[in-house]
Amino acid sequence: MSPQSKSRKKKQGKAPGRRQEQSPYGALLESAAALRSESWLLADAWASELYATLWLAGSGHTPMVEALRKMDDPAALTALRALSGVGSAEHRAEAFAAAEAVAARGVAEPSWYVPGTLVDFRDAFLVTNLLGDVEVVAITQERAGVGETVLFMRQPVLGATAIELFATPDEGTVALLEDMIASTPDAFEDRITPLSASDVFDRVWPDVEQFWEDGPDEETEEGLIGSEDVRHPVQLIALADARVRALVPDEYEIPAVSPERTDEAVEAFLASEHGIADVEAARAFARIVASAAVDQNRDPVVYGPASLTAVLILNVAAKLHVSDADLALLPDIVRAWAYFTADARDLPRDEARAAWDEELPTVLAEFSEAYADPELVAERDGQFR
């Protein structure tokens, strides 16, 4: 046999032209494998971040689930079990069906998975700052005997600003919130208010819907795709979607604030000691901010600096031409409205007014900057009055 023949024979033994292809899901399977002996809570967080990555990248959910369905791999089953707990009902059902198909072939389940287990509502609480413009909603649910708490940091109008996930301490949800209040002096009132499951849904579900509709801005999106150090609600919004939806029956509808509240709030403001000589200017302003709140399904007197700034920019600076004379009146009208909302909610009068006095210069400065923005100038097609 010639040397050439020996060489050819060796190559044939190695199956020339055939090589094992790396799965495009290799990294996903590796990280899922590390979850098999962790906790269900950690698996949900992992799945939520994966869901966010697919959403931000514009990748479909279904192709990945179908690829995992075909694998006889415990890591694939782990990923599917985790994915079946986050996102929309449709996506959860899709992942669950795929997981059942893999499990039926005898693939080993992750150690934390308990068939037929659902998350059950345990309790929920609300913490706010003095003016009620920054809220923390804590919802604790129980699964397989383990408490899990989701904290939603939110602002009216702006929606969810952060979402955090915790294993509920043995002392309970209140202890978790007490630690939060103690660790951020002066940020929150030392008052923890119980909420029902439907109370939580009414507050937080619109934030979830708003987030999916608006998404993160481009700068945040680029940072999230390129950095592991950035923390943003998008990373847990899929988990929040599933957890909040589980609070109420499918047929439940959030109660709507009556449109009549606009007129009621306007008349109450005008009847208060507002001190505005130009009553029609005061009326025009009150109608704008009251109707904006009702359109957002909020009571008109629930305003703080962040929500008032947002409405001034979105509903005045971006939409309405305001005369120089009315612009000169606005600082006094805005202050009068701020004081009125604090009184209407029975907040401590002196403390609330002092808090507003500290914030109002920033509120008015941000409005003035927005009102001068050439892009917003070009968009305006209405009149203040």
Side-chain angles (χ1 to χ4, degrees):
M1 186 180 290
S2 68
Q4 290 85 352
S5 297
K6 288 182 180 180
S7 176
R8 282 195 298 272
K9 197 166 186 179
K10 282 184 179 180
K11 287 180 181 176
Q12 287 168 356
K14 288 186 178 181
R18 295 177 60 196
R19 65 183 180 190
Q20 189 165 353
E21 294 184 5
Q22 260 192 326
S23 167
Y25 298 104
L28 183 153
L29 292 170
E30 185 177 349
S31 62
L35 292 171
R36 290 187 54 74
S37 59
E38 293 290 347
S39 67
W40 212 328
L41 185 71
L42 189 61
D44 276 358
W46 174 89
S48 189
E49 293 193 15
L50 174 59
Y51 197 113
T53 300
L54 293 171
W55 181 63
L56 289 171
S59 304
H61 185 270
T62 299
M64 178 189 66
V65 169
E66 286 304 308
L68 294 172
R69 178 198 287 265
K70 297 173 184 176
M71 300 180 191
D72 292 335
D73 186 334
L77 180 55
T78 301
L80 289 170
R81 289 299 186 201
L83 286 164
S84 66
V86 303
S88 67
E90 179 183 355
H91 284 153
R92 282 182 277 127
E94 182 182 46
F96 178 78
E100 291 293 283
V102 176
R105 298 197 295 268
V107 176
E109 296 277 9
S111 62
W112 40 261
Y113 180 70
V114 180
T117 300
L118 301 175
V119 290
D120 294 320
F121 177 76
R122 181 191 288 181
D123 54 34
F125 300 91
L126 171 69
V127 174
T128 74
N129 65 350
L130 173 63
L131 297 176
D133 211 19
V134 177
E135 297 183 350
V136 175
V137 177
I139 165 181
T140 295
Q141 291 157 306
E142 188 172 299
R143 179 171 54 183
V146 178
E148 302 169 351
T149 300
V150 186
L151 291 187
F152 299 90
M153 278 63 76
R154 63 180 305 274
Q155 292 179 333
V157 184
L158 300 177
T161 56
I163 302 172
E164 298 294 341
L165 188 62
F166 299 91
T168 312
D170 293 339
E171 298 82 1
T173 315
V174 170
L176 188 66
L177 291 171
E178 287 173 341
D179 286 346
M180 181 198 73
I181 293 170
S183 66
T184 52
D186 303 323
F188 299 101
E189 290 289 279
D190 189 13
R191 181 175 61 212
I192 300 174
T193 305
L195 298 176
S196 68
S198 59
D199 288 337
V200 176
F201 188 86
D202 295 349
R203 263 186 153 82
V204 178
W205 182 249
D207 295 350
V208 175
E209 290 187 309
Q210 178 183 333
F211 188 89
W212 286 129
E213 183 177 343
D214 296 344
D217 56 41
E218 290 183 6
E219 183 178 347
T220 302
E221 186 173 323
E222 290 172 4
L224 282 166
I225 292 176
S227 171
E228 294 182 357
D229 299 327
V230 178
R231 189 72 178 174
H232 190 278
V234 67
Q235 294 169 290
L236 289 178
I237 197 69
L239 183 148
D241 189 314
R243 294 300 181 87
V244 177
R245 185 69 264 186
L247 292 170
V248 294
D250 290 341
E251 64 274 12
Y252 178 83
E253 294 184 4
I254 296 175
V257 174
S258 169
E260 294 175 359
R261 279 294 292 139
T262 297
D263 291 336
E264 292 170 0
V266 170
E267 294 309 314
F269 172 59
L270 295 177
S272 68
E273 297 178 359
H274 55 76
I276 309 300
D278 191 331
V279 175
E280 290 311 308
R283 184 188 301 277
F285 178 84
R287 182 159 295 281
I288 291 166
V289 291
S291 61
V294 171
D295 288 345
Q296 295 152 5
N297 207 34
R298 296 188 299 112
D299 192 89
V301 299
V302 181
Y303 266 106
S307 52
L308 186 54
T309 301
V311 168
L312 283 171
I313 292 173
L314 297 174
N315 293 71
V316 180
K319 294 182 178 181
L320 304 177
H321 294 283
V322 185
S323 69
D324 290 344
D326 284 343
L327 282 174
L329 291 173
L330 271 184
D332 287 340
I333 297 176
V334 170
R335 178 174 287 100
W337 175 261
Y339 287 179
F340 162 72
T341 61
D343 291 344
R345 286 183 285 159
D346 293 324
L347 299 179
R349 185 183 178 90
D350 293 341
E351 190 179 353
R353 291 193 173 196
W356 269 116
D357 288 343
E358 185 176 347
E359 297 288 346
L360 281 171
T362 301
V363 172
L364 293 167
E366 291 187 12
F367 165 73
S368 296
E369 182 180 352
Y371 194 78
D373 187 326
E375 291 186 9
L376 296 187
V377 171
E379 291 180 10
R380 290 177 200 137
D381 57 3
Q383 297 292 330
F384 176 70
R385 60 164 172 160

